[in-house]
Amino acid sequence: RDAQESRGLGDVYKRQPLNITVNKLFKGFQQGLQMMSIGANYTFFIPSKLAYGITGDVNLNIGPNEVVIYQVELLNIQPATS
């Protein structure tokens, strides 16, 4: 598939802040976020085995074994609540 055909989480939340719980994300995203500092902008190229794997995600239109690409800006870090 070409890049114009693919869509995913980034299309849904494009340019809007998103509060997320890191340990609920797939492994590749968890690893990437841990390398970031507040204010940093990264582009993550996450291999299938660290993302959606052999099943993909039909709801996000991500096929089996696809590399996913996310552009991320880390705006803030909040400690976990108990």
Side-chain angles (χ1 to χ4, degrees):
R1 280 198 316 220
D2 64 31
Q4 293 177 344
E5 185 181 337
S6 296
R7 58 179 276 279
L9 185 65
D11 292 329
V12 176
Y13 296 105
K14 191 172 191 164
R15 304 263 180 219
Q16 296 178 25
L18 175 65
N19 290 320
I20 52 177
T21 303
V22 175
N23 66 358
K24 293 184 179 180
L25 297 170
F26 56 79
K27 191 159 239 13
F29 216 125
Q30 289 178 19
Q31 292 175 358
L33 287 174
Q34 291 178 24
M35 294 187 291
M36 296 182 75
S37 301
I38 293 175
N41 288 286
Y42 279 37
T43 301
F44 296 148
F45 294 83
I46 303 173
S48 171
K49 68 180 182 177
L50 295 176
Y52 297 98
I54 61 172
T55 58
D57 188 315
V58 173
N59 296 321
L60 296 176
N61 198 27
I62 297 171
N65 297 314
E66 284 191 9
V67 171
V68 293
I69 302 170
Y70 290 102
Q71 291 183 320
V72 178
E73 178 181 7
L74 185 61
L75 301 176
N76 194 9
I77 299 172
Q78 297 177 341
T81 57
S82 330

Coordinates of all heavy atoms in Angstrom, one line a residue:
R1 N 0.8 -1.2 0.0 CA 0.0 0.0 0.0 C 0.9 1.2 0.0 O 1.9 1.3 0.6 CB -0.9 0.0 1.3 CG -2.0 -0.9 1.1 CD -3.1 -0.6 2.1 NE -2.6 -0.3 3.5 CZ -3.2 -0.8 4.5 NH1 -4.3 -1.5 4.4 NH2 -2.8 -0.5 5.7
D2 N 0.4 2.3 -0.6 CA 1.2 3.5 -0.6 C 0.7 4.3 0.6 O -0.3 4.1 1.2 CB 1.0 4.3 -1.9 CG -0.4 4.8 -2.2 OD1 -1.1 5.1 -1.2 OD2 -0.7 4.9 -3.4
A3 N 1.5 5.3 0.9 CA 1.3 6.1 2.1 C 0.0 6.9 2.1 O -0.6 7.1 3.1 CB 2.5 7.1 2.3
Q4 N -0.5 7.3 0.9 CA -1.8 8.0 0.9 C -2.9 7.1 1.2 O -4.0 7.5 1.7 CB -2.0 8.6 -0.5 CG -1.0 9.7 -0.8 CD -1.1 10.2 -2.2 OE1 -1.7 9.6 -3.1 NE2 -0.5 11.4 -2.5
E5 N -2.8 5.8 1.0 CA -3.9 4.8 1.2 C -3.9 4.5 2.7 O -5.0 4.2 3.2 CB -3.6 3.6 0.4 CG -4.7 2.5 0.5 CD -4.4 1.3 -0.3 OE1 -3.6 1.4 -1.2 OE2 -4.9 0.3 0.0
S6 N -2.8 4.5 3.4 CA -2.7 4.1 4.8 C -3.2 5.2 5.7 O -3.0 6.4 5.4 CB -1.3 3.7 5.2 OG -0.9 2.6 4.5
R7 N -3.9 4.9 6.7 CA -4.3 5.9 7.8 C -4.3 5.2 9.1 O -4.3 3.9 9.2 CB -5.6 6.5 7.5 CG -6.8 5.5 7.4 CD -8.1 6.3 7.1 NE -8.7 6.8 8.4 CZ -9.4 6.0 9.2 NH1 -9.6 4.8 9.0 NH2 -9.9 6.6 10.3
G8 N -4.2 5.9 10.1 CA -4.1 5.3 11.5 C -4.4 6.3 12.6 O -5.1 7.3 12.3
L9 N -3.9 6.0 13.7 CA -4.1 6.9 14.9 C -3.7 8.3 14.6 O -4.4 9.2 15.0 CB -3.2 6.4 16.0 CG -3.3 7.0 17.4 CD1 -4.7 6.8 17.9 CD2 -2.3 6.5 18.3
G10 N -2.6 8.5 13.8 CA -2.2 9.9 13.5 C -3.2 10.7 12.8 O -3.3 11.9 12.9
D11 N -4.0 10.0 11.9 CA -5.0 10.7 11.2 C -6.2 11.2 12.1 O -6.8 12.2 11.9 CB -5.6 9.8 10.1 CG -4.6 9.6 9.0 OD1 -3.8 10.4 8.7 OD2 -4.7 8.5 8.4
V12 N -6.4 10.4 13.1 CA -7.5 10.6 14.0 C -7.2 11.8 14.9 O -8.0 12.7 15.2 CB -7.9 9.4 14.9 CG1 -8.9 9.7 15.9 CG2 -8.3 8.2 14.0
Y13 N -6.0 11.9 15.4 CA -5.6 12.9 16.4 C -4.6 13.9 15.8 O -3.9 14.6 16.6 CB -4.9 12.2 17.6 CG -5.9 11.3 18.3 CD1 -5.8 9.9 18.2 CD2 -6.9 11.8 19.1 CE1 -6.7 9.1 18.9 CE2 -7.8 11.0 19.8 CZ -7.7 9.6 19.7 OH -8.5 8.9 20.3
K14 N -4.6 14.0 14.6 CA -3.6 14.9 13.9 C -3.6 16.3 14.5 O -4.7 17.0 14.6 CB -3.9 15.0 12.4 CG -2.8 15.7 11.6 CD -3.0 15.5 10.2 CE -1.8 16.0 9.4 NZ -1.8 15.5 8.1
R15 N -2.5 16.8 15.0 CA -2.3 18.1 15.5 C -3.1 18.4 16.8 O -3.3 19.6 17.1 CB -2.5 19.2 14.5 CG -1.7 19.0 13.2 CD -0.5 19.9 13.3 NE 0.3 19.7 12.2 CZ 1.6 19.7 12.2 NH1 2.3 19.8 13.3 NH2 2.3 19.5 11.1
Q16 N -3.6 17.4 17.5 CA -4.4 17.7 18.7 C -3.6 16.9 19.8 O -3.2 15.8 19.7 CB -5.8 17.1 18.6 CG -6.6 17.8 17.5 CD -8.0 17.1 17.4 OE1 -8.5 16.6 18.4 NE2 -8.6 17.3 16.3
P17 N -3.5 17.6 21.0 CA -2.8 16.9 22.1 C -3.6 15.7 22.5 O -4.9 15.7 22.4 CB -2.8 18.0 23.2 CG -2.9 19.3 22.5 CD -3.8 19.0 21.3
L18 N -2.9 14.7 23.0 CA -3.6 13.5 23.4 C -2.9 13.0 24.7 O -1.7 12.9 24.8 CB -3.3 12.4 22.3 CG -3.8 11.0 22.5 CD1 -5.3 10.9 22.6 CD2 -3.3 10.1 21.4
N19 N -3.8 12.8 25.7 CA -3.3 12.2 26.9 C -3.3 10.7 26.8 O -4.4 10.1 26.5 CB -4.2 12.7 28.1 CG -4.0 14.1 28.4 OD1 -2.9 14.7 28.4 ND2 -5.1 14.8 28.7
I20 N -2.2 10.1 27.0 CA -2.1 8.6 26.9 C -1.4 8.0 28.1 O -0.5 8.7 28.7 CB -1.4 8.2 25.6 CG1 0.0 8.9 25.4 CG2 -2.2 8.5 24.4 CD1 0.8 8.5 24.2
T21 N -1.7 6.8 28.4 CA -1.0 6.0 29.4 C 0.0 5.2 28.7 O -0.4 4.3 27.9 CB -2.0 5.2 30.2 OG1 -3.0 6.0 30.8 CG2 -1.3 4.4 31.3
V22 N 1.3 5.4 28.9 CA 2.3 4.8 28.2 C 2.3 3.3 28.2 O 2.4 2.6 27.2 CB 3.7 5.3 28.6 CG1 4.9 4.5 27.9 CG2 3.9 6.8 28.4
N23 N 2.0 2.7 29.3 CA 2.0 1.2 29.4 C 0.9 0.5 28.7 O 0.8 -0.7 28.6 CB 2.2 0.7 30.9 CG 0.9 1.0 31.7 OD1 0.0 1.7 31.2 ND2 1.0 0.6 32.9
K24 N -0.1 1.3 28.2 CA -1.2 0.8 27.4 C -0.9 0.8 25.9 O -1.7 0.4 25.1 CB -2.5 1.5 27.7 CG -2.9 1.2 29.1 CD -4.2 1.8 29.4 CE -4.6 1.5 30.9 NZ -5.9 2.0 31.3
L25 N 0.2 1.4 25.5 CA 0.6 1.5 24.1 C 1.4 0.3 23.7 O 1.9 -0.5 24.5 CB 1.5 2.7 23.9 CG 0.8 4.1 24.2 CD1 1.8 5.2 24.2 CD2 -0.3 4.3 23.2
F26 N 1.5 0.0 22.4 CA 2.3 -1.1 21.9 C 3.8 -0.8 22.2 O 4.2 0.3 22.4 CB 2.0 -1.4 20.4 CG 2.2 -0.3 19.4 CD1 3.5 0.1 19.0 CD2 1.1 0.4 19.0 CE1 3.6 1.1 18.1 CE2 1.3 1.4 18.0 CZ 2.5 1.8 17.6
K27 N 4.6 -1.9 22.2 CA 6.0 -1.8 22.7 C 6.8 -0.8 22.0 O 7.6 -0.1 22.6 CB 6.6 -3.2 22.6 CG 7.9 -3.3 23.3 CD 8.3 -4.7 23.6 CE 8.5 -5.1 25.0 NZ 8.3 -4.5 26.2
G28 N 6.7 -0.7 20.7 CA 7.6 0.3 19.9 C 7.3 1.7 20.3 O 8.2 2.5 20.4
F29 N 6.0 2.0 20.5 CA 5.7 3.4 20.9 C 6.2 3.7 22.4 O 6.7 4.7 22.7 CB 4.2 3.6 20.9 CG 3.7 4.9 20.4 CD1 2.9 5.1 19.4 CD2 4.2 6.1 21.1 CE1 2.5 6.4 19.0 CE2 3.8 7.3 20.7 CZ 2.9 7.5 19.6
Q30 N 6.1 2.7 23.2 CA 6.6 2.8 24.6 C 8.1 3.1 24.6 O 8.5 4.0 25.3 CB 6.3 1.5 25.4 CG 4.9 1.2 25.8 CD 4.8 -0.1 26.5 OE1 5.7 -0.6 27.0 NE2 3.6 -0.6 26.5
Q31 N 8.8 2.4 23.8 CA 10.3 2.5 23.7 C 10.6 3.9 23.2 O 11.5 4.6 23.7 CB 10.9 1.5 22.9 CG 10.8 0.1 23.5 CD 11.3 -1.0 22.6 OE1 11.7 -0.8 21.5 NE2 11.3 -2.2 23.1
G32 N 9.9 4.4 22.2 CA 10.2 5.7 21.6 C 9.9 6.8 22.5 O 10.7 7.7 22.6
L33 N 8.8 6.8 23.2 CA 8.4 7.8 24.1 C 9.4 8.0 25.2 O 9.7 9.1 25.7 CB 7.0 7.6 24.7 CG 5.9 7.9 23.7 CD1 4.6 7.5 24.4 CD2 5.9 9.3 23.3
Q34 N 10.0 6.9 25.7 CA 11.0 6.9 26.8 C 12.3 7.6 26.4 O 13.0 8.1 27.3 CB 11.3 5.5 27.3 CG 10.1 4.9 28.0 CD 10.3 3.5 28.5 OE1 11.4 3.1 28.6 NE2 9.2 2.7 28.6
M35 N 12.5 7.7 25.1 CA 13.8 8.4 24.7 C 13.6 9.9 24.5 O 14.5 10.7 24.4 CB 14.2 7.9 23.3 CG 14.6 6.4 23.4 SD 15.3 5.9 21.8 CE 13.9 5.9 20.7
M36 N 12.3 10.4 24.6 CA 12.0 11.8 24.3 C 12.1 12.7 25.5 O 11.9 12.3 26.6 CB 10.6 11.9 23.7 CG 10.4 11.2 22.4 SD 8.7 11.4 21.8 CE 8.8 13.1 21.2
S37 N 12.5 14.0 25.3 CA 12.4 15.0 26.3 C 11.2 15.9 26.0 O 10.8 16.0 24.8 CB 13.7 15.9 26.2 OG 14.8 15.1 26.4
I38 N 10.7 16.6 27.0 CA 9.6 17.5 26.8 C 10.0 18.6 25.7 O 11.1 19.1 25.7 CB 9.2 18.2 28.1 CG1 8.6 17.2 29.0 CG2 8.2 19.3 27.8 CD1 8.3 17.7 30.4
G39 N 9.1 18.8 24.7 CA 9.4 19.7 23.6 C 10.0 19.0 22.4 O 10.1 19.7 21.4
A40 N 10.4 17.8 22.5 CA 11.1 17.1 21.4 C 10.1 16.7 20.4 O 8.9 16.4 20.7 CB 11.8 15.9 21.9
N41 N 10.5 16.7 19.1 CA 9.7 16.2 18.0 C 10.4 15.0 17.4 O 11.6 15.2 17.0 CB 9.5 17.3 16.9 CG 8.6 18.4 17.4 OD1 7.4 18.2 17.4 ND2 9.2 19.5 17.7
Y42 N 9.8 13.9 17.3 CA 10.4 12.7 16.7 C 9.5 12.1 15.7 O 8.3 12.3 15.7 CB 10.5 11.6 17.8 CG 11.7 11.7 18.7 CD1 12.2 12.9 19.2 CD2 12.3 10.5 19.2 CE1 13.2 12.9 20.1 CE2 13.4 10.6 20.1 CZ 13.8 11.8 20.5 OH 14.9 11.8 21.4
T43 N 10.1 11.4 14.7 CA 9.3 10.6 13.8 C 9.7 9.1 14.1 O 10.9 8.8 14.1 CB 9.7 10.9 12.3 OG1 9.4 12.3 12.1 CG2 8.9 10.0 11.4
F44 N 8.7 8.4 14.5 CA 8.9 7.0 14.8 C 8.6 6.1 13.6 O 7.6 6.2 13.0 CB 8.0 6.5 16.0 CG 8.2 7.2 17.3 CD1 7.1 7.4 18.1 CD2 9.5 7.6 17.7 CE1 7.3 8.0 19.4 CE2 9.6 8.2 19.0 CZ 8.6 8.4 19.8
F45 N 9.6 5.2 13.3 CA 9.4 4.2 12.3 C 9.4 2.9 13.0 O 10.4 2.4 13.4 CB 10.5 4.2 11.2 CG 10.5 5.5 10.4 CD1 11.1 6.6 10.8 CD2 9.9 5.5 9.1 CE1 11.1 7.8 10.1 CE2 9.9 6.6 8.3 CZ 10.5 7.8 8.8
I46 N 8.2 2.4 13.3 CA 8.1 1.2 14.2 C 7.8 -0.1 13.4 O 6.8 -0.2 12.7 CB 7.0 1.5 15.2 CG1 7.3 2.8 16.0 CG2 6.9 0.3 16.2 CD1 6.2 3.2 16.9
P47 N 8.8 -1.0 13.5 CA 8.6 -2.3 12.8 C 7.3 -3.1 13.3 O 6.9 -2.9 14.5 CB 9.9 -3.1 13.0 CG 10.4 -2.5 14.3 CD 10.0 -1.0 14.3
S48 N 6.8 -3.9 12.4 CA 5.6 -4.6 12.7 C 5.7 -5.4 14.1 O 4.8 -5.4 14.8 CB 5.3 -5.6 11.6 OG 4.3 -6.5 11.9
K49 N 6.8 -6.0 14.3 CA 6.9 -6.9 15.5 C 6.8 -6.0 16.8 O 6.6 -6.6 17.9 CB 8.2 -7.7 15.5 CG 9.5 -7.0 15.6 CD 10.7 -7.9 15.5 CE 11.9 -7.1 15.7 NZ 13.1 -8.0 15.7
L50 N 7.1 -4.7 16.7 CA 6.9 -3.8 17.9 C 5.7 -3.0 17.8 O 5.5 -2.1 18.7 CB 8.2 -2.9 18.0 CG 9.5 -3.6 18.3 CD1 10.6 -2.6 18.3 CD2 9.5 -4.4 19.6
A51 N 4.8 -3.3 16.8 CA 3.6 -2.5 16.7 C 2.4 -3.5 16.7 O 2.1 -4.0 17.7 CB 3.7 -1.7 15.4
Y52 N 1.8 -3.6 15.5 CA 0.5 -4.4 15.4 C 0.7 -5.8 14.9 O -0.2 -6.6 14.8 CB -0.5 -3.7 14.5 CG -0.9 -2.3 15.1 CD1 -0.2 -1.2 14.6 CD2 -1.8 -2.3 16.1 CE1 -0.6 0.1 15.2 CE2 -2.2 -1.0 16.6 CZ -1.5 0.1 16.2 OH -1.9 1.3 16.7
G53 N 2.0 -6.2 14.6 CA 2.3 -7.6 14.3 C 1.7 -8.2 13.1 O 1.3 -7.5 12.2
I54 N 1.5 -9.5 13.1 CA 1.0 -10.2 12.0 C -0.5 -10.1 11.8 O -1.1 -10.4 10.8 CB 1.3 -11.8 12.1 CG1 0.7 -12.4 13.3 CG2 2.8 -12.0 12.1 CD1 0.8 -13.9 13.4
T55 N -1.2 -9.5 12.8 CA -2.6 -9.3 12.7 C -3.0 -8.0 12.2 O -4.1 -7.8 11.6 CB -3.3 -9.5 14.1 OG1 -2.8 -8.6 15.0 CG2 -3.2 -10.9 14.6
G56 N -2.1 -7.0 12.4 CA -2.5 -5.6 12.0 C -3.6 -5.1 12.9 O -3.9 -5.6 13.9
D57 N -4.3 -4.0 12.4 CA -5.5 -3.5 13.1 C -6.5 -3.0 12.1 O -6.3 -1.9 11.5 CB -5.0 -2.4 14.0 CG -6.1 -1.9 14.9 OD1 -7.3 -1.7 14.5 OD2 -5.9 -1.7 16.1
V58 N -7.5 -3.7 11.9 CA -8.5 -3.4 10.9 C -9.1 -2.1 11.2 O -9.4 -1.3 10.2 CB -9.6 -4.5 10.9 CG1 -10.8 -4.1 10.0 CG2 -9.0 -5.8 10.5
N59 N -9.4 -1.7 12.4 CA -10.0 -0.4 12.8 C -9.2 0.8 12.4 O -9.7 1.8 12.2 CB -10.3 -0.4 14.3 CG -11.4 -1.4 14.7 OD1 -12.3 -1.7 13.9 ND2 -11.2 -2.1 15.8
L60 N -7.8 0.6 12.4 CA -6.9 1.7 12.0 C -6.4 1.5 10.6 O -5.6 2.3 10.1 CB -5.7 1.7 13.0 CG -6.0 2.0 14.4 CD1 -4.8 1.9 15.3 CD2 -6.7 3.4 14.6
N61 N -7.0 0.5 9.9 CA -6.6 0.3 8.5 C -5.1 0.0 8.4 O -4.4 0.5 7.4 CB -6.9 1.5 7.6 CG -7.0 1.1 6.1 OD1 -7.2 0.0 5.8 ND2 -6.7 2.1 5.3
I62 N -4.5 -0.7 9.3 CA -3.1 -1.2 9.3 C -3.1 -2.7 9.0 O -3.7 -3.4 9.8 CB -2.5 -0.8 10.7 CG1 -2.4 0.7 10.9 CG2 -1.0 -1.4 10.7 CD1 -2.0 1.1 12.2
G63 N -2.5 -3.0 7.9 CA -2.5 -4.4 7.5 C -1.4 -5.2 8.3 O -0.6 -4.7 9.1
P64 N -1.5 -6.5 8.1 CA -0.5 -7.4 8.7 C 0.9 -7.1 8.4 O 1.2 -6.7 7.2 CB -0.8 -8.8 8.2 CG -2.3 -8.7 7.7 CD -2.4 -7.3 7.3
N65 N 1.8 -7.1 9.3 CA 3.3 -6.9 9.1 C 3.6 -5.6 8.6 O 4.7 -5.4 7.9 CB 3.8 -8.1 8.3 CG 3.7 -9.4 8.9 OD1 4.0 -9.5 10.1 ND2 3.2 -10.4 8.2
E66 N 2.8 -4.5 8.8 CA 3.2 -3.2 8.3 C 4.0 -2.4 9.3 O 3.8 -2.5 10.5 CB 1.9 -2.4 8.0 CG 1.2 -2.8 6.7 CD 0.1 -1.9 6.3 OE1 0.0 -0.8 6.9 OE2 -0.6 -2.2 5.4
V67 N 5.0 -1.7 8.8 CA 5.7 -0.7 9.6 C 4.7 0.5 9.8 O 4.0 0.9 8.9 CB 7.0 -0.2 8.8 CG1 7.6 0.9 9.5 CG2 7.9 -1.4 8.7
V68 N 4.7 1.0 11.0 CA 3.9 2.2 11.2 C 4.8 3.4 11.5 O 5.9 3.3 12.0 CB 2.9 2.0 12.4 CG1 1.8 1.0 12.1 CG2 3.6 1.6 13.7
I69 N 4.3 4.6 11.1 CA 5.1 5.8 11.2 C 4.3 6.8 11.9 O 3.1 7.1 11.5 CB 5.5 6.3 9.8 CG1 6.3 5.2 9.0 CG2 6.3 7.6 9.9 CD1 6.5 5.6 7.6
Y70 N 4.8 7.4 13.0 CA 4.1 8.4 13.7 C 5.0 9.6 13.9 O 6.2 9.4 14.2 CB 3.7 7.9 15.1 CG 2.7 6.8 15.1 CD1 3.0 5.5 15.3 CD2 1.3 7.2 15.0 CE1 2.0 4.5 15.3 CE2 0.3 6.2 15.0 CZ 0.7 4.9 15.2 OH -0.3 4.0 15.2
Q71 N 4.5 10.8 13.8 CA 5.2 12.0 14.1 C 4.6 12.4 15.5 O 3.4 12.6 15.7 CB 4.9 13.1 13.1 CG 5.6 12.8 11.8 CD 5.4 13.9 10.7 OE1 4.4 14.5 10.6 NE2 6.5 14.1 10.0
V72 N 5.6 12.6 16.4 CA 5.2 12.9 17.8 C 5.9 14.1 18.4 O 7.1 14.2 18.2 CB 5.5 11.6 18.7 CG1 5.2 11.9 20.1 CG2 4.9 10.4 18.2
E73 N 5.2 14.9 19.1 CA 5.8 16.0 19.8 C 5.4 15.8 21.3 O 4.2 15.6 21.6 CB 5.2 17.4 19.4 CG 5.8 18.5 20.2 CD 5.3 19.9 19.8 OE1 4.4 20.0 18.9 OE2 5.8 20.9 20.3
L74 N 6.3 15.7 22.2 CA 6.0 15.5 23.6 C 5.8 16.8 24.3 O 6.8 17.6 24.4 CB 7.2 14.7 24.2 CG 6.9 14.3 25.7 CD1 5.7 13.4 25.8 CD2 8.2 13.6 26.3
L75 N 4.6 17.1 24.7 CA 4.3 18.4 25.3 C 4.5 18.4 26.8 O 4.8 19.4 27.3 CB 2.8 18.7 24.9 CG 2.5 18.8 23.5 CD1 1.0 19.1 23.3 CD2 3.3 19.9 22.8
N76 N 4.2 17.3 27.4 CA 4.3 17.2 28.9 C 4.3 15.8 29.4 O 4.0 14.9 28.6 CB 3.0 17.9 29.5 CG 3.2 18.2 31.0 OD1 4.2 18.1 31.5 ND2 2.1 18.6 31.6
I77 N 4.8 15.6 30.6 CA 4.8 14.3 31.2 C 4.1 14.4 32.5 O 4.5 15.3 33.3 CB 6.2 13.8 31.4 CG1 7.0 13.6 30.1 CG2 6.2 12.4 32.2 CD1 8.4 13.3 30.2
Q78 N 3.1 13.6 32.8 CA 2.4 13.6 34.0 C 2.7 12.3 34.8 O 2.6 11.2 34.1 CB 0.9 13.8 33.8 CG 0.6 15.1 33.2 CD -0.9 15.2 32.9 OE1 -1.6 14.2 32.9 NE2 -1.4 16.4 32.7
P79 N 3.0 12.3 36.1 CA 3.2 11.1 36.8 C 1.9 10.3 36.8 O 0.8 10.8 36.8 CB 3.6 11.5 38.2 CG 3.3 13.0 38.3 CD 3.1 13.5 36.9
A80 N 2.1 9.0 36.9 CA 0.9 8.1 37.0 C 0.2 8.3 38.2 O 0.8 8.6 39.3 CB 1.4 6.6 36.9
T81 N -1.1 8.2 38.2 CA -2.0 8.3 39.4 C -2.2 6.9 39.9 O -2.3 6.0 39.2 CB -3.3 9.0 39.1 OG1 -4.0 8.3 38.0 CG2 -3.1 10.4 38.6
S82 N -2.3 6.9 41.3 CA -2.6 5.6 41.9 C -4.0 5.2 41.8 O -4.9 5.9 41.8 CB -2.1 5.5 43.3 OG -1.1 6.4 43.6

